Amino acid sequence: MPDSLASVAAWLGGRRPRLTRPEQRLWAAYATGTLVSLGDERPPMTGAPDRTIRAEVISALLLGACEPRPGHVPAVRLRGARITGLLNVSGGEVGCELRLERCVLEEAPDFSNARARQMRLNACRLPGFDGGGLQADGYLSLSESLIDGEVRLMRASLSGGFRMNSVRLRNPGGYAVYAGGLTVDAGAYIRNSDITGEMRLTGARMTGGLFMYGTTLRDPHCVLDGGNMIVQDRMECSAGFTAEGPVRLRGVRIDGTLSFDQGAIRAPGRRALHLSHATVKELILVPREPIQGEVTLGYSRIDVILDRPDVWPERLRLNGLVYETLRGEPEEGQRLDWISRDPHGFRPQPYEQLAAWLRRIGRDDLVRKCQLAKQRARRRQLRPLSRAWGVLLDWTVGYGYRPWIAAVWLVLLVALGTVVFSIDHPHTIKQPEERPHFHALIYTLDLMLPIETFGQRTAWDPIGWSRWLAWTLTGTGWILATALISGVARVLRPS
């Protein structure tokens, strides 16, 4: 193969090339894009000279050291090889596809700031991957690989998508995936993988969605940091997804669905899910088990929320959350419990937001209960005097949302006064021709009304112990009237 040897000589700067037999096979196959298989199983890290290829040979082919054969598409396709040295095309122009299957790489490949086409490193074993600033016209796949180190994709642009399915990635105490500013146009698929270390996707843009079905993420500090990430389709953390550590999605924008359907988030004693200041079309929060740790949705805008009461954590921050729809008819008490779990105590906005939604769906009965619950929660933070007045408003008219309570009190007190004054008749304080006929019921009503209406109060004066009852009825009447007016004013006051 004289042409190939000439190319090798040019690559080695004029020295006579000394390629091993596996390297000669790879060099010859490059021109036609033929797959070179050195074995169906992954080779060991050392030994196996008949399956060993130097990384510099692959780098030279990727950078165009060998001319392609006319009428064929060149490519580096290799299976079952042990690759020694550093596969380095940093800053270069890779003009062909790279496909490595069941290979073992001794050092982490360096594709930083390179331009490349489709790259597949499937079922390989490698100590990391550096693709910072990489621009790939096709997709990058690391599926089924065992990676003991960091995958770096900062500011990378992958037009054909990103695949990291069935991967075992280990970098405890550090970043497993460091991909701030990553752009993926055709979808990122990280399915059924086991990843130890933080996945950092801050500022990433996933045009085709992010899919992590069945994936397990482990890191005590943060398993996924997607702050200010943009997902223009779905973000699936579902169908067996497990987060053994906090998930941070502060400021994300998801134009489709963010789903934790049948997933799990476990971060006891920490903020398990941080989804504040986010914009999401639909949030599905129905994991397979209760969330362990705190959840914050504060100051987010979520069009539709689907959740279940049994998965809510004890600490739930909802202050500032705005939503259009809560899927499913609300059951009495459940939503009130949902908005009352803020660790900072009473916040009025979650109650007002819930009341607005209940009003939109025509549940005025639950609107009143929500507003009453808001007043009771607020009362716990008031000073003693204000708290006492709040208790009085609650007992008498239910803060204006239960005015029938005042009617109950009125009926009970009127009945009491009627019975007492029928037995212990007040004595007259007017001349016979000036006083009206005494009537116990009318007399009791006259005592309780703030303004004398029937002329009984000024014509008859109770004596003995019944005088205390008369004073009590008069004072209670004023309190009931004041409480009723205050409550009605609160109801009629514009929101």
Side-chain angles (χ1 to χ4, degrees):
M1 44 182 185
D3 292 341
S4 298
L5 291 178
S7 298
V8 174
W11 162 50
L12 294 175
R15 296 184 289 109
R16 182 180 179 82
R18 299 183 61 181
L19 297 179
T20 64
R21 186 176 298 274
E23 292 171 349
Q24 290 177 1
R25 290 180 58 188
L26 180 64
W27 197 275
Y30 165 82
T32 57
T34 304
L35 172 66
V36 175
S37 179
L38 304 181
D40 291 331
E41 300 297 329
R42 205 159 42 203
M45 291 294 292
T46 58
D50 59 333
R51 299 176 66 180
T52 300
I53 290 182
R54 289 171 294 170
E56 58 183 330
V57 175
I58 300 176
S59 299
L61 290 173
L62 293 175
L63 295 175
C66 181
E67 293 295 329
R69 182 175 298 181
H72 293 80
V73 178
V76 176
R77 298 189 174 102
L78 181 62
R79 176 188 296 159
R82 182 171 67 91
I83 300 173
T84 62
L86 176 61
L87 176 54
N88 185 2
V89 294
S90 175
E93 184 86 21
V94 178
C96 66
E97 176 193 352
L98 171 63
R99 176 179 169 185
L100 303 178
E101 297 179 0
R102 300 188 180 95
C103 293
V104 173
L105 291 82
E106 292 185 347
E107 299 185 38
D110 188 354
F111 283 81
S112 59
N113 301 308
R115 291 187 61 88
R117 297 187 180 180
Q118 184 166 284
M119 296 189 298
R120 293 194 291 179
L121 285 76
N122 289 352
C124 294
R125 181 170 182 176
L126 58 158
F129 181 89
D130 189 353
L134 168 67
Q135 297 184 39
D137 294 334
Y139 65 81
L140 169 64
S141 175
L142 301 173
S143 294
E144 302 180 39
S145 294
L146 174 60
I147 306 173
D148 294 308
E150 180 180 319
V151 175
R152 300 175 63 85
L153 294 170
M154 313 88 66
R155 302 180 307 281
S157 177
L158 310 177
S159 299
F162 178 49
R163 301 176 186 175
M164 206 165 71
N165 301 319
S166 302
V167 164
R168 286 188 295 166
L169 174 54
R170 301 283 187 272
N171 193 25
Y175 291 111
V177 178
Y178 192 89
L182 170 67
T183 300
V184 182
D185 289 338
Y189 297 86
I190 308 175
R191 299 175 295 191
N192 303 313
S193 295
D194 193 311
I195 299 175
T196 300
E198 180 179 338
M199 287 187 60
R200 185 174 178 85
L201 300 176
T202 53
R205 187 184 184 95
M206 308 289 184
T207 303
L210 174 59
F211 304 90
M212 294 190 285
Y213 301 107
T215 289
T216 298
L217 307 179
R218 296 185 178 89
D219 190 89
H221 303 293
C222 178
V223 296
L224 173 61
D225 187 351
N228 299 309
M229 183 169 59
I230 297 175
V231 181
Q232 294 185 343
D233 197 342
R234 301 176 65 88
M235 180 172 174
E236 290 285 350
C237 302
S238 54
F241 171 86
T242 302
E244 297 285 353
V247 176
R248 297 175 184 166
L249 299 174
R250 189 181 191 276
V252 299
R253 194 190 84 193
I254 299 176
D255 295 336
T257 299
L258 170 58
S259 175
F260 293 92
D261 185 16
Q262 297 305 306
I265 306 176
R266 303 168 187 151
R270 306 198 63 189
R271 186 169 293 178
L273 176 60
H274 190 171
L275 189 61
S276 69
H277 301 84
T279 302
V280 181
K281 289 294 183 182
E282 181 182 32
L283 172 63
I284 299 178
L285 196 61
V286 285
R288 63 181 182 271
E289 62 184 45
I291 298 173
Q292 300 179 28
E294 182 181 296
V295 172
T296 176
L297 305 179
Y299 304 100
S300 292
R301 187 174 190 90
I302 303 175
D303 289 355
V304 180
I305 298 177
L306 171 62
D307 59 356
R308 285 200 323 266
D310 59 301
V311 302
W312 299 333
E314 292 298 323
R315 298 166 63 89
L316 184 62
R317 300 173 187 259
L318 300 176
N319 189 42
L321 170 65
V322 177
Y323 47 85
E324 296 295 328
T325 302
L326 298 173
R327 288 177 57 182
E329 279 293 313
E331 296 187 20
E332 185 173 340
Q334 289 183 341
R335 287 298 172 189
L336 295 180
D337 179 48
W338 180 57
I339 61 177
S340 64
R341 299 192 176 198
D342 196 308
H344 287 297
F346 171 72
R347 299 295 182 91
Q349 190 274 339
Y351 290 89
E352 294 295 339
Q353 172 64 44
L354 178 59
W357 175 69
L358 291 170
R359 191 175 294 109
R360 285 200 302 271
I361 65 173
R363 294 300 302 270
D364 291 339
D365 56 331
L366 295 182
V367 171
R368 290 190 292 270
K369 290 182 179 180
C370 179
Q371 295 287 11
L372 180 57
K374 182 186 75 170
Q375 295 298 333
R376 288 172 173 171
R378 174 179 175 271
R379 187 174 70 209
R380 290 191 287 269
Q381 296 185 341
L382 299 178
R383 295 180 178 179
L385 185 59
S386 299
R387 192 180 308 158
W389 175 245
V391 170
L392 182 61
L393 286 176
D394 194 356
W395 286 359
T396 53
V397 291
Y399 283 99
Y401 301 107
R402 292 180 175 178
W404 56 267
I405 298 179
V408 173
W409 280 105
L410 181 62
V411 169
L412 292 176
L413 292 174
V414 168
L416 176 62
T418 301
V419 171
V420 169
F421 294 123
S422 296
I423 298 173
D424 191 358
H425 201 289
H427 70 85
T428 182
I429 56 176
K430 286 189 177 183
Q431 296 299 322
E433 65 275 5
E434 298 179 355
R435 64 174 181 262
H437 176 72
F438 178 77
H439 193 287
L441 173 61
I442 302 302
Y443 179 69
T444 304
L445 289 175
D446 229 357
L447 288 175
M448 296 192 66
L449 293 176
I451 301 175
E452 184 179 8
T453 304
F454 304 105
Q456 294 274 326
R457 186 195 306 176
T458 57
W460 303 93
D461 189 23
I463 58 176
W465 65 271
S466 62
R467 178 173 297 176
W468 292 98
L469 176 61
W471 293 343
T472 301
L473 291 175
T474 301
T476 304
W478 278 98
I479 292 174
L480 284 174
T482 305
L484 184 60
I485 293 171
S486 299
V488 171
R490 179 176 290 106
V491 173
L492 297 179
R493 185 183 302 124
S495 300

